[in-house]
Amino acid sequence: MARQRTVSAIQVTANDADKEGTVARALDLIDEAGRRGSTLVVLPELWTGIGFAGEDGHVRIAEEIPGPTTRRLSEKAQAWGMTIVGSMYERHGNLHYNSAPVIGPDGEVVGKYWKTHLFDAPNRPDIPPGYVESKKVAAGTELPVFPTAFGPVGVSVCSDLRFPEVYREMALKGAEVIVCASAFLSPRFDHWEFFLRARATENQCWVVASGQVGQEPTSGLAFVGRSMIVDPWGVVVAQAPDTECCLTAVIDLDYIAEVKRRYPLMDQRRPELYQTIGRTA
């Protein structure tokens, strides 16, 4: 029997000035994913608010985890029997993190991933005067794979996508699906697409990527959107339009084994070469 699963990527435009309205729209789209039978739902990066407007915008949006918003996600996860992942600002003691909690169908927080590769781009002409995420949040130090009811799931957040070693580490730990919660800045659709396809192809796993879309009204920043579901052969099996929506597809986890049978790429790795390069660099 094929291990078929229905997955959904929720695509929204966060409004830093209306956190409650943003959360409510996302919850409605989660209900739509539930009606479609989704057992894995991926929300974008910083889906409760991006906090780019002002130095302390993220502080006003941040919550503890578990907290009020994750409790609402837990209710949806229980109601629909789904696993939900998405990133938000977490207040953790004296620090803040770009944190992606993983909530299981029993409503419990399975674990959380703290974004490891922060978006530090001080000289980007399209984000005047540049943006340095590390001024707002601390970086995580671990790349966990979560044993969920859906299957083993790895979690990445936005600029992690540019670092192939992040995805390789999770693939080697057994991730069958790696999700990417993103607020990928427009107009770099070409980067977004080929990175997602590359990460899926080189690690022979499914990638489910959800992005913010449109323009955040407070800061004026614009996002690529185009949420995607990519198979282990690098084929885009579903892509969202340029609007808030719920993107849904049926995926077959057994297809991973078939792709690996066709081309046993992971069995042909030469880690000793990389270790030698590392010592001599």
Side-chain angles (χ1 to χ4, degrees):
M1 294 290 292
R3 291 190 297 147
Q4 293 188 337
R5 306 282 192 275
T6 302
V7 302
S8 287
I10 303 301
Q11 185 168 277
V12 295
T13 307
N15 183 344
D16 285 1
D18 185 15
K19 177 179 176 181
E20 176 54 34
T22 300
V23 170
R25 292 197 310 278
L27 293 177
D28 286 344
L29 289 169
I30 290 174
D31 284 336
E32 178 60 30
R35 287 189 289 271
R36 297 177 184 179
S38 301
T39 53
L40 175 66
V41 174
V42 183
L43 292 157
E45 177 184 29
L46 303 177
W47 68 276
T48 63
I50 62 172
F52 276 30
E55 293 297 318
D56 62 347
H58 65 294
V59 176
R60 295 191 299 272
I61 295 168
E63 300 180 18
E64 294 182 347
I65 297 176
T69 300
T70 52
R71 281 194 286 272
R72 295 169 78 175
L73 291 180
S74 294
E75 291 171 0
K76 296 297 185 185
Q78 284 183 293
W80 294 110
M82 59 176 55
T83 296
I84 302 176
V85 188
S87 116
M88 56 190 291
Y89 285 116
E90 178 186 4
R91 183 172 59 251
H92 187 80
N94 295 324
L95 296 175
H96 290 87
Y97 290 92
N98 187 335
S99 179
V102 179
I103 298 171
D106 60 357
E108 296 297 318
V109 177
V110 177
K112 57 189 175 185
Y113 166 69
W114 287 340
K115 185 179 180 182
T116 54
H117 292 69
L118 303 181
F119 181 59
D120 285 357
N123 302 312
R124 283 280 299 277
D126 55 335
I127 323 173
Y131 185 75
V132 180
E133 188 177 16
S134 60
K135 289 184 177 180
K136 295 180 181 290
V137 300
T141 59
E142 298 180 355
L143 298 171
V145 171
F146 299 95
T148 73
F150 178 90
V153 173
V155 180
S156 64
V157 176
C158 204
S159 51
D160 289 332
L161 185 61
R162 290 185 174 273
F163 298 87
E165 49 272 65
V166 170
Y167 282 67
R168 179 51 54 89
E169 177 76 13
M170 290 187 283
L172 292 174
K173 289 178 177 177
E176 294 184 312
V177 174
I178 300 178
V179 307
C180 180
S182 182
F184 213 77
L185 291 171
S186 178
R188 295 165 306 132
F189 170 72
D190 51 351
H191 286 197
W192 172 243
E193 180 183 26
F194 73 63
F195 279 135
L196 290 172
R197 296 183 67 187
R199 299 296 90 90
T201 305
E202 67 199 5
N203 294 295
Q204 300 178 314
C205 64
W206 287 91
V207 171
V208 181
S210 178
Q212 292 216 31
V213 67
Q215 187 173 51
E216 197 282 309
T218 306
S219 63
L221 287 177
F223 302 97
V224 167
R226 304 289 178 90
S227 298
M228 290 186 198
I229 299 166
V230 187
D231 78 13
W233 199 244
V235 175
V236 178
V237 300
Q239 178 179 300
D242 297 333
T243 185
E244 293 191 333
C245 64
C246 172
L247 176 71
T248 304
V250 177
I251 70 173
D252 182 1
L253 296 181
D254 281 345
Y255 186 49
I256 298 169
E258 171 58 19
V259 169
K260 290 180 177 179
R261 185 193 67 80
R262 295 178 188 175
Y263 183 21
L265 175 67
M266 301 295 274
D267 295 339
Q268 299 177 46
R269 292 178 303 109
R270 298 284 305 281
E272 72 278 5
L273 295 179
Y274 315 137
Q275 293 166 4
T276 300
I277 292 170
R279 287 196 297 269
T280 58

